[in-house]
Amino acid sequence: MLVNGETEVYGIIGYPVKHSKSPQFQTAAFRHKNINAVYLPFEVKPENLKKAVNGIKALSIRGINITVPHKEEVIRYLDETSEEVQFIGACNTVKNIDGYLIGYNTDAYGFIEGLKEIEPQFQDKTFLILGAGGASRAVLYGLIREGAEKIFVANRTIDRVFQIIQDFSKLNRFIQEIIIPVPLDKVEDYLSSTDIIVNTTSVGLKDEDPPLFDYSKVQKKHTVVDIIYKKTKLLKVAEEKGCRWQDGLPMLLYQGAKAFEIWTGEKAPVEVMRKVLQE
Ligand code: ATR
């Protein structure tokens, strides 16, 4: 389908945004579904975020993904936000309904759908989540919504874990029994009682990053998920030890699929999108 006067515009706002894989796989989804739309990258500096959001309205851009570093800041410029956005404190998907902007967070859904591919029955498992930033909050929101009952949360700044417990108390009244704060330097003591390890920090993005804990302590019984889109040092160790493991691509895929469904009301062609991501 060629671009014409009726083509609808979608896109992603980030800074930087050049590395984003969303334009490829969202465009593939629109093509597959014969929807007359384009999906473009928009590099927006932090000081221009407000103008960019007003631009969504002015230009009737139908839907926008929001990525680093705007996921938190964008919330103040939206007309309405979903429950997930309110708990997580970050928004990655905006739908424009005739100039009225609604913010969603599809990262929690993305994480859970990805996790189900390697751990279909995770509710009774014990989790160890590394990190307590925006990505961690999305993972935790998803897990708690799905009924996970025991989650160690380790972070360099432990106060951020206590803040999450406080913020999520309205989500689940047993939150203090579900989320157990763990200082980062004590992680190794919790590994024997952990089933599923999830790294939500940015540590591992660069090969020279020092590890969050002694990865040689990872055991074959662990399932290891790293939400970074590559085989990090942690994942390499997991693979060597014979663990089940997963990188960040499934989460990326399913958060995008959910955004597509929010915008179009149609079922996302997940396998088409996955193929593009794997290329
Ligand atoms: P995101 O939205 O990607 O989660 P964020 O909110 O900035 O980003 O959170 C980054 C997470 O990575 C935090 O848990 C952070 O730990 P602190 O809360 O102590 O800052 C963690 N992180 C980043 N760099 C780290 C490092 N070098 N060592 C340990 N943790 C690190």
Side-chain angles (χ1 to χ4, degrees), residues 153-203:
V153 181
N155 200 46
R156 183 176 56 181
T157 316
I158 198 79
D159 282 353
R160 293 184 86 182
V161 185
F162 288 106
Q163 187 65 49
I164 292 174
I165 293 172
Q166 192 181 320
D167 293 347
F168 281 25
S169 60
K170 286 183 225 71
L171 186 63
N172 186 309
R173 63 196 172 98
F174 301 110
I175 200 74
Q176 297 205 358
E177 285 147 53
I178 300 172
I179 296 184
I180 297 135
V182 172
L184 198 52
D185 57 357
K186 292 281 181 293
V187 161
E188 288 149 30
D189 301 345
Y190 291 80
L191 289 174
S192 62
S193 37
T194 292
D195 301 304
I196 304 175
I197 302 170
V198 184
N199 176 40
T200 72
T201 76
S202 46
V203 175

Side-chain angles (χ1 to χ4, degrees), residues 26-251:
Q26 294 291 1
T27 298
F30 286 129
R31 288 291 159 278
H32 184 81
K33 292 290 230 175
N34 260 317
I35 296 171
N36 186 357
V38 293
Y39 184 107
L40 304 168
F42 295 108
E43 190 170 83
V44 174
K45 292 196 173 117
E47 63 267 31
N48 289 328
L49 182 62
K50 184 179 181 180
K51 284 188 254 179
V53 175
N54 283 330
I56 298 171
K57 295 189 182 195
L59 300 171
S60 295
I61 291 172
R62 296 289 158 165
I64 281 278
N65 281 129
I66 311 289
T67 189
V68 179
H70 303 309
K71 286 185 180 188
E72 285 93 10
E73 188 66 16
V74 73
I75 293 171
R76 65 166 75 210
Y77 305 124
L78 304 176
D79 298 300
E80 188 179 318
T81 52
S82 69
E83 186 201 273
E84 306 94 74
V85 170
Q86 290 160 33
F87 277 105
I88 298 166
C91 165
N92 77 325
T93 301
V94 175
K95 181 174 172 131
N96 180 6
I97 304 173
D98 299 328
Y100 186 83
L101 303 185
I102 308 177
Y104 299 87
N105 186 310
T106 69
D107 287 331
Y109 172 88
F111 173 75
I112 295 297
E113 289 306 300
L115 179 65
K116 283 180 188 166
E117 290 188 347
I118 53 166
E119 283 284 355
Q121 299 293 329
F122 60 82
Q123 280 78 0
D124 57 344
K125 300 282 161 73
T126 299
F127 285 83
L128 167 64
I129 309 295
L130 302 160
S136 171
R137 292 174 80 104
V139 165
L140 287 167
Y141 178 89
L143 288 176
I144 286 158
R145 260 301 162 102
E146 291 285 322
E149 287 176 357
K150 194 163 176 204
I151 313 172
F152 302 125
V153 181
N155 200 46
R156 183 176 56 181
T157 316
I158 198 79
D159 282 353
R160 293 184 86 182
V161 185
F162 288 106
Q163 187 65 49
I164 292 174
I165 293 172
Q166 192 181 320
D167 293 347
F168 281 25
S169 60
K170 286 183 225 71
L171 186 63
N172 186 309
R173 63 196 172 98
F174 301 110
I175 200 74
Q176 297 205 358
E177 285 147 53
I178 300 172
I179 296 184
I180 297 135
V182 172
L184 198 52
D185 57 357
K186 292 281 181 293
V187 161
E188 288 149 30
D189 301 345
Y190 291 80
L191 289 174
S192 62
S193 37
T194 292
D195 301 304
I196 304 175
I197 302 170
V198 184
N199 176 40
T200 72
T201 76
S202 46
V203 175
L205 203 53
K206 296 191 218 90
D207 290 331
E208 63 269 26
D209 284 344
L212 286 160
F213 64 94
D214 180 0
Y215 295 158
S216 73
K217 301 266 164 61
V218 171
Q219 300 157 33
K220 186 172 192 290
K221 67 154 190 165
H222 292 130
T223 290
V224 182
V225 181
D226 198 320
I227 70 163
I228 294 174
Y229 313 144
K230 67 175 211 183
K231 203 191 274 180
T232 56
K233 220 184 273 178
L234 174 62
L235 291 180
K236 282 179 191 155
V237 173
E239 187 177 45
E240 278 161 27
K241 301 240 172 183
C243 305
R244 254 181 288 189
W245 62 274
Q246 184 180 69
D247 64 20
L249 283 182
M251 179 173 174

